[in-house]
């Protein structure tokens, strides 16, 4: 199914996406919502076609020795496809983020000024082994009036190709032009590089995947980038943390879905709390088959732990491993996160309100939690219906990016012959 595309073909796709975005911007909210419902229904109807394609990618992944976390992200089931459709229907229920007047005023000369939300235009989505991104990104893009160019990783190319075929067949029954969704069907990296530099046709790039992918886009693109980030997330258990609460939050953050970016990769524990709760802490991790990596202090407390290297503190394990750091005060925890964190999601567990306030003020991250799991950094969990990625940068958008993050503004002025 792999098709190698020349530059002219990729550029032609971008041109088609740009033209489609103009048509899409004229559609009503009702027309967009109807199309998204048709898309959800068609995905459920064609689930077997998608699963058959997914089996090909899974077999190829097994041959190449992909690890368990990677295979989990790649794998689909009927239930997961039904979840895709459910997510689309949730997006259809959400308020249309476009054509909203953010503010308006009238100048002394009578000129009316309005700041109005509009679509970004054409989104280039570059991602790895997550077929769900194909659906989520498409739904969010179309609802917010944007065309989208999808460039998924080679490991899921068969699955993504069939999903996009299903999307196109669905859109042909709607007011949304099928050209609004483009899929670059090649494993050739030059196609991705071409997408990086098409400023005249592509308005923004969104990379979603590992650090290498994100850095490649950020460092090489001339198109503006909405940077998503890897998730070296921390849970800090303070000396005044409730034991049951702390262990429940830690286990959920680490083990609920260890292969996702909002899973905890390091737990920082106050020395006093650890001394009082060592057995419960060790047993909780052991009961969930979590492997501990730690420094000399940790090894003295947990002899079966693996000696942590510098790499462990920065590692996004994406599996059932966790780095454990013991500290004597909260400042040490904050400094550790500042050095090794990826500005994604960080949590503190404590009954000390002042400690929590200090943590929330000083830790620099897109999402911060007091006495809650890091697993809530997710567009669906926060009521966005779905997300196109989690931004760890500070310009335009930060945190889980839903519909509003895919819009910008126009200043629209209306006068009666005013001149300056």
């Amino acid at each position: 199914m792999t098709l190698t595309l020349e530059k002219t073909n990729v550029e032609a796709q971008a041109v088609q996406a740009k033209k489609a975005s103009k048509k899409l911007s004229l559609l009503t909210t009702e027309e967009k919502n109807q199309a998204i419902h048709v898309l959800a229904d068609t995905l459920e109807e064609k689930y077997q076609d998608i699963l058959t394609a997914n089996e090909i990618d899974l077999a190829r992944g097994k041959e190449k020795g992909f690890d368990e976390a990677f295979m989990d992200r790649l794998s689909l089931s009927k239930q997961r496809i039904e979840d895709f459709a459910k997510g689309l229907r949730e997006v259809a229920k959400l308020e249309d983020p476009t054509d909203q007047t953010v503010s308006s005023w009238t100048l002394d000369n009578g000129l009316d000024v309005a700041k109005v939300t509009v679509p970004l235009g054409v989104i280039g989505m570059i991602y790895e082994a997550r077929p769900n991104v194909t659906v989520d990104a498409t739904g969010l893009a179309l609802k917010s009036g944007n065309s989208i160019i999808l460039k998924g990783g080679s490991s899921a190319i068969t699955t993504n190709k069939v999903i996009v075929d299903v999307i196109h067949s669905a859109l042909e029954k709607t007011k949304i032009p099928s050209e609004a969704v483009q899929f670059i069907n090649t494993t050739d990296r030059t196609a991705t590089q071409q997408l990086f530099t098409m400023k005249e046709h592509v308005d923004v790039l969104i990379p979603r995947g590992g650090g290498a992918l994100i850095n490649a886009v950020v460092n090489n693109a001339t198109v503006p980038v909405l940077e998503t980030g890897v998730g070296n997330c921390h849970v800090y258990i303070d000396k005044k943390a409730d034991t049951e609460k702390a262990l429940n939050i830690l286990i959920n953050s680490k083990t609920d879905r260890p292969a996702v970016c909002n899973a905890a990769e390091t737990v920082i524990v106050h020395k006093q709390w650890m001394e009082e709760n060592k057995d419960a802490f060790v047993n909780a991790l052991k009961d969930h088959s979590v492997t501990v990596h730690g420094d000399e202090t940790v090894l003295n407390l947990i002899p079966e732990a693996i000696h942590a290297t510098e790499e462990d503190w920065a590692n996004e394990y994406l599996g059932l491993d966790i780095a454990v750091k013991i500290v004597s005060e909260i400042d040490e925890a904050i400094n550790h996160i500042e050095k090794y964190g990826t500005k994604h999601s960080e949590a503190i567990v404590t009954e000390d309100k002042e400690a929590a306030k200090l943590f929330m003020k000083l830790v620099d991250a897109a999402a911060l939690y007091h006495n809650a799991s890091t697993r809530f950094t997710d567009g669906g969990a926060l009521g966005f219906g779905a997300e196109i990625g989690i931004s760890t940068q500070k310009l335009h958008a930060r945190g889980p990016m839903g519909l509003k993050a895919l819009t910008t503004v126009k200043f629209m002025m209306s006068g009666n012959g005013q001149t300056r």
Side-chain angles (χ1 to χ4, degrees), residues 234-376:
H234 300 73
V235 173
Y236 168 54
I237 301 177
D238 186 51
K239 64 181 176 181
K240 293 188 178 179
D242 176 84
T243 301
E244 183 178 3
K245 198 178 292 182
L247 294 177
N248 286 340
I249 289 170
L250 170 60
I251 295 304
N252 180 259
S253 297
K254 177 69 259 182
T255 69
D256 179 55
R257 279 198 71 190
V260 296
C261 62
N262 58 24
E265 304 293 10
T266 297
V267 56
I268 306 172
V269 189
H270 193 282
K271 182 179 179 181
Q272 181 179 321
W273 188 93
M274 179 63 93
E275 289 173 349
E276 296 170 357
N277 298 280
K278 186 193 80 168
D279 290 343
F281 177 86
V282 172
N283 289 335
L285 293 175
K286 188 178 295 184
D287 289 346
H288 289 82
S289 303
V290 178
T291 300
V292 172
H293 302 251
D295 57 18
E296 293 297 335
T297 305
V298 173
L299 293 175
N300 288 333
L301 292 169
I302 310 173
E304 62 269 31
I306 298 170
H307 190 276
T309 64
E310 184 71 10
E311 182 181 345
D312 284 294
W313 304 124
N315 201 359
E316 188 181 20
Y317 292 111
L318 301 174
L320 289 175
D321 289 77
I322 195 164
V324 179
K325 176 74 174 178
I326 308 297
V327 298
S328 300
E329 54 182 288
I330 189 172
D331 288 347
E332 285 184 60
I334 292 171
N335 290 338
H336 184 90
I337 293 170
E338 180 71 20
K339 183 175 181 179
Y340 297 104
T342 53
K343 305 186 188 304
H344 193 294
S345 302
E346 311 291 0
I348 179 173
V349 186
T350 186
E351 301 306 306
D352 184 341
K353 292 183 179 179
E354 289 303 311
K357 183 178 178 180
L358 182 69
F359 186 92
M360 304 288 264
K361 285 280 188 182
L362 293 183
V363 172
D364 183 12
L368 294 166
Y369 297 90
H370 173 211
N371 288 346
S373 169
T374 58
R375 287 283 289 116
F376 289 100

Side-chain angles (χ1 to χ4, degrees), residues 158-188:
T158 312
T159 307
N160 286 331
K161 174 63 170 63
V162 172
I163 290 175
V164 174
D165 286 346
V166 171
I167 291 170
H168 284 160
S169 68
L171 293 181
E172 286 171 1
K173 308 170 191 173
T174 75
K175 293 290 184 69
I176 294 179
S178 59
E179 293 83 4
V181 181
Q182 298 287 334
F183 177 65
I184 300 178
N185 183 31
T186 178
T187 58
D188 187 351

